[in-house]
Amino acid sequence: DYKYHNFVSEEDISSGVEFEEYSLKPEDFEKDLIWLRDNGYMTITSKDLIEYLEGKKALPAKAVIISIDDGSYGVYKNAWPLLKKYNMKADFNVIGTQIDEIWEKLSGGGTRLGDAAPYCTWEELTEMSESGEINICSHTYGMHVYDKENRIGMSMMENEMDDEFAEAVKKDYELSVSCIEGWT
């Protein structure tokens, strides 16, 4: 049972990318893909599943969703080529603020060099989305942070009413979807 987040190669590590608890080496991800293929599994995306539930699409007998969180550049650089190699798909659940921050940094002439945890840009997400192998999904716009002064991730704040929390989640989700749809 893996929680797919970042795919970090030896080359990445030598460039300063951190291999942390949610990292996986590309060769280990490839082993997972080979296992899925050899055991008759077919990858689908959440979009495929929704279309199936709406009666618009059939699913393969052994359907599985590969879900990748956060928006790390290692997906673009290391995981996506493997998905293409094995003709597989995945959901990529991105954090909007992280994507906006790297997009602004690179658009302003900065680089990823030295980033311990680099993220994808909107252009890279669009390229992956257009390929058909990657379905871009929301992993919040900005509620994935752990701000100890206010909200801790998607948790309710102390003394926050249910309707206030629901409105905060709704606004965050709408902003995330707006960014994703605007780019892809």
Side-chain angles (χ1 to χ4, degrees):
D1 175 34
Y2 289 112
K3 293 177 174 71
Y4 294 124
H5 288 78
N6 200 2
F7 303 85
V8 180
S9 68
E10 293 300 324
E11 175 189 346
D12 297 329
I13 293 169
S14 67
S15 298
V17 176
E18 182 181 344
F19 190 92
E20 45 81 40
E21 68 177 306
Y22 291 118
S23 297
L24 187 66
K25 292 180 180 179
E27 55 268 25
D28 290 332
F29 182 57
E30 185 169 22
K31 288 176 188 174
D32 290 350
L33 298 179
I34 291 168
W35 187 91
L36 289 170
R37 180 200 64 195
D38 290 352
N39 286 278
Y41 288 92
M42 298 285 294
T43 57
I44 63 168
T45 65
S46 58
K47 182 180 178 189
D48 296 325
L49 179 59
I50 290 167
E51 289 175 359
Y52 166 77
L53 294 172
E54 293 173 342
K56 298 176 184 176
K57 179 180 235 176
L59 291 181
K62 292 176 83 173
V64 64
I65 295 175
I66 295 173
S67 182
I68 305 167
D69 282 355
D70 296 344
S72 68
Y73 181 62
V75 173
Y76 181 80
K77 183 175 178 277
N78 300 315
W80 182 39
L82 292 170
L83 290 166
K84 288 191 285 191
K85 178 178 178 179
Y86 293 98
N87 195 30
M88 294 188 178
K89 302 176 181 182
D91 277 358
F92 193 18
N93 313 296
V94 301
I95 303 168
T97 54
Q98 300 288 4
I99 306 304
D100 275 348
E101 285 174 17
I102 192 64
W103 185 83
E104 288 174 13
K105 180 179 179 182
L106 297 179
S107 295
T111 70
R112 287 188 182 101
L113 193 61
D115 280 0
Y119 284 83
C120 288
T121 64
W122 289 112
E123 290 89 350
E124 291 159 348
L125 294 173
T126 299
E127 183 183 352
M128 288 188 286
S129 175
E130 288 174 353
S131 75
E133 289 102 10
I134 302 285
N135 179 43
I136 308 297
C137 305
S138 173
H139 195 37
T140 79
Y141 179 79
M143 292 184 108
H144 194 279
V145 297
Y146 294 90
D147 177 358
K148 301 295 184 197
E149 298 296 318
N150 295 303
R151 186 177 310 283
I152 301 172
M154 286 292 294
S155 300
M156 288 180 72
M157 294 187 297
E158 191 174 325
N159 299 321
E160 185 175 34
M161 303 300 292
D162 288 346
D163 60 336
E164 294 169 324
F165 176 67
E167 186 60 27
V169 171
K170 180 181 177 200
K171 283 182 180 181
D172 182 88
Y173 178 74
E174 287 172 349
L175 180 55
S176 179
V177 169
S178 174
C179 290
I180 292 168
E181 289 179 351
W183 279 96
T184 63

